[in-house]
Amino acid sequence: MKVLSIEKLREFCPLKWHEKIPADGIGLGIADIDFEGPLGIADFIRAKLKDEFAYYQPREGMRHTLGIVKEFIDKKGLHDAIVQIIPGTMIGIYAVMKYASQLSGKVAIINPIYPPIHFHASSENNEIQWIPLDDSYQWDHERIMEAIDKDTKMIAFANPNNPTGTVPSMSDLKLVRDLCIDYNIICFSDELYEPLAFRKEHVSIGSLEGMHDRTVSLYGFSKAYGLAGYRSGFMSIQLTNPKPMQEIVEHLLVSPSPVTSFVAEFALTNPLVQEWVASFKQVINQTTVLASKVFEDAGYSCPLPDGSFFVFPDLELKNDLKCCEDLLVSKGVEVVHGSRFGPDGAGKIRVNCATSTERLSEGIDRIIEYQQQQAR
């Protein structure tokens, strides 16, 4: 994997390597990567744009791409699903929580979790039932069973989880499946990082018997495929009545740009992309092991993630937001404060490990040095 220089990253990756990060600083915050992405996509899109697309295209996405995506999700066991191409997964998250607001009850969220999931749930006036992970960042069956009841309308989680990297086991998924059936609950699974599940087998809950008519799964090409700037993803909608969800997306998009579909086609069919994803997965496996070990050796709890490219050390911070702000100013290192990911993220930080081992090691050393200085 080719690691880009900081000069190139400041040019090409302005959200992660922004102007507040000093010249000698290190960006371990925004969930973008420091590696060169798959080659050939620009030429692929140019070749596709030999046709004219001045008019609205199909609401679900380009028909050829829909066939490719259907083949992908069929292999994952997501049967009887409707595919909706979307310009990045954020649209999907919003649509799901807008849909949830039309139902009666609470949205149960296994947290810590990617912030827009609970932000959009709240903004659409959904009452949230928080479900914490255990101390090792694994699903806590007792807490899940205590939280889910007749007042629950939806359960939401990320698989793999952002920020903890947790990949639920089959027994975890079956527990939630049984609860969804017993209480007639819709399930929302954000599966953006599914290609980066490297310590547990990834299983989509929509593939389980009984979930083919009560699940919405979300996929994208921003992270594991290294194509964040191209804004492409898709929803797998397995609902008895999918029309309300489809109408929400239609009102947001009318129809996705053809380019959005072309990116999905490129990501799912180009052999070089698949090789890139495999190489990236191997690198991320190594960098997350490194990061977890360094934090653990320094005396901080930092469970090894099952997937994704983050670690989530517990620094026991009294004010994690202020500490992250101070860390950027005093040490030039940007990370994301844990409470942003929900109440059970408080006191922790998310460290983006999608960079070189040298850059990552230096950044973590500065974080630990900052903590030690604060403890004196």
Side-chain angles (χ1 to χ4, degrees):
M1 302 292 295
K2 180 180 179 181
V3 182
L4 298 178
S5 68
I6 292 179
E7 290 72 25
K8 287 291 185 183
L9 288 166
R10 288 187 183 277
E11 178 183 356
F12 298 138
C13 192
L15 290 185
K16 184 180 181 185
W17 289 89
H18 53 80
E19 65 279 356
K20 291 184 179 180
I21 296 176
D24 63 346
I26 301 173
L28 303 176
I30 294 291
D32 211 340
I33 67 176
D34 288 359
F35 301 98
E36 182 178 66
L39 301 178
I41 186 168
D43 290 338
F44 183 86
I45 293 173
R46 289 190 193 100
K48 290 287 183 177
L49 288 176
K50 62 185 178 183
D51 298 321
E52 294 290 339
F53 298 102
Y55 307 99
Y56 288 130
Q57 300 303 304
R59 288 189 175 91
E60 296 84 7
M62 303 297 286
R63 292 188 178 90
H64 178 62
T65 304
L66 290 173
I68 293 169
V69 174
K70 279 288 290 182
E71 183 178 349
F72 173 84
I73 63 172
D74 282 345
K75 290 179 180 177
K76 295 191 71 64
L78 303 179
H79 304 307
D80 305 318
I82 291 174
V83 172
Q84 173 65 57
I85 305 294
I86 50 177
T89 54
M90 197 73 75
I91 289 287
I93 294 171
Y94 174 79
V96 168
M97 293 308 168
K98 181 71 174 178
Y99 170 79
S101 71
Q102 300 173 1
L103 307 175
S104 177
K106 300 178 182 179
V107 174
I109 298 179
I110 298 178
N111 86 118
I113 198 166
Y114 181 49
I117 293 176
H118 67 82
F119 288 167
H120 286 314
S122 296
S123 70
E124 291 303 312
N125 297 315
N126 292 291
E127 185 178 353
I128 296 176
Q129 174 71 54
W130 297 103
I131 304 176
L133 298 170
D134 68 18
D135 292 341
S136 298
Y137 298 155
Q138 299 303 308
W139 287 19
D140 188 316
H141 287 208
E142 184 175 343
R143 286 172 169 171
I144 292 172
M145 289 187 290
E146 288 175 352
I148 303 300
D149 57 28
K150 60 182 177 60
D151 294 324
T152 307
K153 60 183 174 181
M154 177 181 285
I155 182 167
F157 55 87
N159 177 17
N161 180 275
N162 171 7
T164 65
T166 306
V167 173
S169 67
M170 182 61 80
S171 65
D172 294 335
L173 297 176
K174 286 183 176 179
L175 170 68
V176 169
R177 184 270 309 275
D178 293 344
L179 291 169
C180 286
I181 293 172
D182 289 346
Y183 292 108
N184 193 27
I185 296 169
I186 301 298
C187 183
F188 170 51
S189 181
D190 179 352
E191 312 210 342
L192 179 62
Y193 292 90
E194 57 90 17
L196 298 181
F198 36 70
R199 296 191 182 92
K200 284 185 184 176
E201 179 184 4
H202 179 274
V203 177
S204 297
I205 195 168
S207 69
L208 272 58
E209 183 180 358
M211 297 302 291
H212 294 163
D213 60 353
R214 61 178 71 252
T215 306
V216 180
S217 306
L218 194 61
Y219 298 86
F221 306 104
S222 295
K223 312 304 180 185
Y225 293 85
L227 298 170
Y230 287 96
R231 314 309 302 132
S232 179
F234 63 88
M235 303 171 70
S236 166
I237 304 172
Q238 299 169 286
L239 297 174
T240 303
N241 179 17
K243 188 175 180 180
M245 182 76 76
Q246 290 176 291
E247 288 180 344
I248 292 169
V249 177
E250 180 185 340
H251 293 160
L252 289 169
L253 297 179
V254 180
S255 67
S257 163
V259 173
T260 304
S261 291
F262 298 155
V263 174
E265 179 182 349
F266 176 79
L268 292 178
T269 63
N270 190 304
L272 295 178
V273 175
Q274 307 310 311
E275 292 178 14
W276 186 95
V277 172
S279 296
F280 182 53
K281 180 178 180 179
Q282 184 176 13
V283 169
I284 293 306
N285 190 349
Q286 296 169 351
T287 57
T288 53
V289 167
L290 166 68
S292 178
K293 185 177 187 307
V294 174
F295 279 114
E296 289 278 351
D297 288 349
Y300 302 105
S301 174
C302 187
L304 198 61
D306 304 315
S308 81
F309 49 70
F310 308 112
V311 294
F312 200 55
D314 186 358
L315 305 185
E316 300 182 358
L317 302 170
K318 293 182 179 179
N319 187 332
D320 50 75
L321 172 57
K322 184 178 185 303
C323 285
C324 287
E325 292 173 342
D326 291 347
L327 179 65
L328 178 57
V329 172
S330 65
K331 298 297 182 181
V333 178
E334 182 168 68
V335 294
V336 184
H337 63 283
S339 56
R340 183 173 174 81
F341 300 91
D344 292 284
K348 306 171 180 70
I349 62 171
R350 189 192 72 179
V351 179
N352 181 346
C353 300
T355 187
S356 68
T357 55
E358 294 79 12
R359 202 173 287 162
L360 180 62
S361 296
E362 173 63 21
I364 294 175
D365 285 346
R366 295 189 196 183
I367 293 169
I368 292 172
E369 181 180 46
Y370 169 83
Q371 279 297 102
Q372 292 173 343
Q373 290 172 347
Q374 296 303 303
R376 291 171 187 163

